[in-house]
Short mmCIF file of all heavy atoms in Angstrom, two decimals:
data_model
loop_
_atom_site.label_atom_id
_atom_site.label_comp_id
_atom_site.label_asym_id
_atom_site.label_seq_id
_atom_site.Cartn_x
_atom_site.Cartn_y
_atom_site.Cartn_z
N THR H 14 8.10 7.22 -19.33
CA THR H 14 7.65 8.26 -20.21
C THR H 14 7.25 9.54 -19.34
O THR H 14 6.99 10.55 -19.95
CB THR H 14 6.32 7.88 -20.84
OG1 THR H 14 5.33 7.35 -20.00
CG2 THR H 14 6.66 6.83 -21.92
N VAL H 15 7.36 9.55 -18.08
CA VAL H 15 7.03 10.67 -17.21
C VAL H 15 8.33 11.63 -17.12
O VAL H 15 9.14 11.43 -16.36
CB VAL H 15 6.63 10.26 -15.85
CG1 VAL H 15 6.35 11.45 -14.91
CG2 VAL H 15 5.16 9.41 -15.87
N ARG H 16 8.37 12.54 -17.97
CA ARG H 16 9.47 13.50 -18.17
C ARG H 16 9.05 14.99 -18.00
O ARG H 16 9.70 15.76 -18.64
CB ARG H 16 10.13 13.12 -19.41
CG ARG H 16 10.69 11.77 -19.49
CD ARG H 16 11.30 11.57 -20.99
NE ARG H 16 12.19 12.65 -21.37
CZ ARG H 16 12.07 13.15 -22.46
NH1 ARG H 16 11.21 12.57 -23.50
NH2 ARG H 16 12.79 14.11 -22.97
N TYR H 17 7.98 15.16 -17.32
CA TYR H 17 7.37 16.47 -17.28
C TYR H 17 8.29 17.65 -16.73
O TYR H 17 8.03 18.82 -17.00
CB TYR H 17 6.05 16.57 -16.42
CG TYR H 17 4.95 15.76 -17.17
CD1 TYR H 17 4.02 15.10 -16.18
CD2 TYR H 17 4.83 15.48 -18.42
CE1 TYR H 17 3.02 14.39 -16.82
CE2 TYR H 17 3.76 14.81 -19.08
CZ TYR H 17 2.99 14.16 -18.16
OH TYR H 17 1.92 13.47 -18.61
N ALA H 18 9.34 17.26 -16.06
CA ALA H 18 10.24 18.30 -15.47
C ALA H 18 11.37 18.57 -16.33
O ALA H 18 12.24 19.59 -16.13
CB ALA H 18 10.68 17.75 -14.14
N GLU H 19 11.42 17.88 -17.52
CA GLU H 19 12.37 18.13 -18.53
C GLU H 19 12.08 19.04 -19.64
O GLU H 19 11.04 18.86 -20.34
CB GLU H 19 12.89 16.79 -19.10
CG GLU H 19 13.44 15.78 -18.10
CD GLU H 19 13.84 14.48 -18.74
OE1 GLU H 19 13.96 14.42 -19.99
OE2 GLU H 19 13.76 13.42 -17.89
N ALA H 20 12.86 20.09 -19.90
CA ALA H 20 12.52 20.96 -20.96
C ALA H 20 12.49 20.31 -22.33
O ALA H 20 11.44 20.64 -23.23
CB ALA H 20 13.66 22.07 -21.05
N GLU H 21 13.08 19.29 -22.58
CA GLU H 21 13.12 18.50 -23.91
C GLU H 21 11.81 17.93 -24.25
O GLU H 21 11.30 17.82 -25.37
CB GLU H 21 14.28 17.52 -23.88
CG GLU H 21 15.66 17.99 -23.91
CD GLU H 21 16.15 18.25 -22.61
OE1 GLU H 21 15.53 17.75 -21.53
OE2 GLU H 21 17.07 19.14 -22.33
N TYR H 22 11.18 17.45 -23.03
CA TYR H 22 9.78 16.88 -23.19
C TYR H 22 8.75 17.92 -23.82
O TYR H 22 8.16 17.61 -24.70
CB TYR H 22 9.35 16.42 -21.80
CG TYR H 22 7.77 16.00 -21.84
CD1 TYR H 22 7.43 14.68 -22.49
CD2 TYR H 22 6.74 16.80 -21.59
CE1 TYR H 22 6.03 14.36 -22.43
CE2 TYR H 22 5.49 16.62 -21.57
CZ TYR H 22 5.14 15.33 -22.25
OH TYR H 22 3.76 15.08 -22.25
N TRP H 23 8.81 19.10 -23.17
CA TRP H 23 7.93 20.20 -23.62
C TRP H 23 8.24 20.68 -24.99
O TRP H 23 7.34 21.05 -25.80
CB TRP H 23 7.82 21.23 -22.62
CG TRP H 23 7.34 20.72 -21.28
CD1 TRP H 23 8.12 20.41 -20.19
CD2 TRP H 23 5.96 20.36 -20.96
NE1 TRP H 23 7.23 19.81 -19.19
CE2 TRP H 23 5.96 19.82 -19.58
CE3 TRP H 23 4.81 20.35 -21.73
CZ2 TRP H 23 4.65 19.38 -19.18
CZ3 TRP H 23 3.63 19.86 -21.17
CH2 TRP H 23 3.58 19.37 -19.90
N GLU H 24 9.59 20.83 -25.35
CA GLU H 24 9.86 21.24 -26.65
C GLU H 24 9.28 20.30 -27.66
O GLU H 24 8.67 20.80 -28.65
CB GLU H 24 11.37 21.29 -26.87
CG GLU H 24 12.12 22.38 -26.06
CD GLU H 24 11.64 23.73 -26.38
OE1 GLU H 24 11.60 24.10 -27.47
OE2 GLU H 24 11.20 24.57 -25.40
N SER H 25 9.47 19.03 -27.49
CA SER H 25 9.05 17.99 -28.42
C SER H 25 7.49 18.06 -28.45
O SER H 25 6.98 18.00 -29.51
CB SER H 25 9.50 16.66 -28.01
OG SER H 25 8.96 15.60 -28.81
N ARG H 26 6.88 18.23 -27.37
CA ARG H 26 5.47 18.17 -27.39
C ARG H 26 4.71 19.28 -27.95
O ARG H 26 3.80 19.21 -28.75
CB ARG H 26 4.94 18.11 -25.85
CG ARG H 26 3.34 18.09 -25.86
CD ARG H 26 2.94 18.16 -24.32
NE ARG H 26 1.38 18.10 -24.38
CZ ARG H 26 0.74 17.24 -23.87
NH1 ARG H 26 1.21 16.10 -23.18
NH2 ARG H 26 -0.61 17.33 -23.85
N TYR H 27 5.37 20.48 -27.70
CA TYR H 27 4.76 21.69 -28.37
C TYR H 27 5.10 21.84 -29.92
O TYR H 27 4.45 22.47 -30.64
CB TYR H 27 5.29 23.02 -27.66
CG TYR H 27 4.47 23.13 -26.33
CD1 TYR H 27 5.18 23.20 -25.04
CD2 TYR H 27 3.04 22.98 -26.28
CE1 TYR H 27 4.52 23.30 -23.81
CE2 TYR H 27 2.49 23.07 -24.98
CZ TYR H 27 3.10 23.27 -23.83
OH TYR H 27 2.44 23.32 -22.67
#
Side-chain angles (χ1 to χ4, degrees):
T14 56
V15 178
R16 298 178 41 228
Y17 296 148
E19 298 175 23
E21 297 80 22
Y22 169 84
W23 295 106
E24 291 298 312
S25 174
R26 181 184 180 118
Y27 288 126

